[in-house]
Amino acid sequence: MLSYQVYKILHLVSLFGVFMCLGALVIHHMNGGAKHFPARMWLVLSFTIFMFLAFVGGFGLMARLGSGMQTWIYAKIALWLVIGAYMSLIARKPDWSKVHWFVLLVLGATGASVALYKPF
Ligand code: HEM
């Protein structure tokens, strides 16, 4: 099993990648980009791999903490599901791109706050 530090780097770097993909898609739509575009496969594939690695890193961290499935972990999983679905929301509602831009920051801040404060 890998160390806590390695899982944390995996978790965080994968999340950087996830937010990179979502931010790129928002800017694409702000530029009036089409629903289908040449780099779409690259974006969707990268996003899927980053989401998977963020999940692996998150559960690796949980195993290393030895705390088990506490309530805040369920909140993290719920957030992970919301972020996973958010890519299609960005594509479906391109007119809301400016809102998406800030919602993404709020989602990131929520993930960090839940992990740090473990409020429940
Ligand atoms: C399957 C979903 C997830 C699981 C199981 C999970 C689990 C964890 C665990 C166990 C930690 C370590 C907490 C500690 O060291 O005390 C952590 C840290 C962190 N998680 Fe997640 N997480 C998930 C999804 C997310 C998502 C979606 C985000 C962002 C939107 C996120 C952001 C963070 C951040 C920023 C940290 C580092 C906090 C610190 O510095 O200690 N996580 N996560």
Side-chain angles (χ1 to χ4, degrees):
M1 208 152 83
L2 302 173
S3 68
Y4 172 85
Q5 285 82 358
V6 170
Y7 281 126
K8 184 158 265 184
I9 291 169
L10 178 69
H11 191 55
L12 295 180
V13 172
S14 306
L15 288 167
F16 297 156
V18 163
F19 282 93
M20 210 167 72
C21 294
L22 293 172
L25 189 62
V26 171
I27 292 294
H28 169 75
H29 286 301
M30 275 186 186
N31 278 330
K35 201 174 166 68
H36 295 277
F37 51 96
R40 189 167 175 271
M41 258 328 274
W42 175 262
L43 190 77
V44 173
L45 196 64
S46 309
F47 181 71
T48 308
I49 293 169
F50 288 138
M51 281 297 284
F52 173 72
L53 293 177
F55 189 89
V56 171
F59 276 94
L61 280 169
M62 189 188 82
R64 277 304 183 199
L65 286 175
S67 50
M69 286 294 291
Q70 292 185 348
T71 312
W72 67 273
I73 297 279
Y74 288 102
K76 285 299 217 78
I77 295 169
L79 187 67
W80 183 82
L81 290 170
V82 170
I83 291 172
Y86 210 84
M87 178 164 266
S88 64
L89 188 68
I90 293 170
R92 271 161 215 252
K93 298 282 176 198
D95 298 347
W96 299 358
S97 290
K98 286 192 178 122
V99 176
H100 295 321
W101 189 250
F102 292 102
V103 169
L104 287 176
L105 280 182
V106 173
L107 291 174
T110 307
S113 305
V114 170
L116 284 166
Y117 292 107
K118 304 179 179 56
F120 25 69

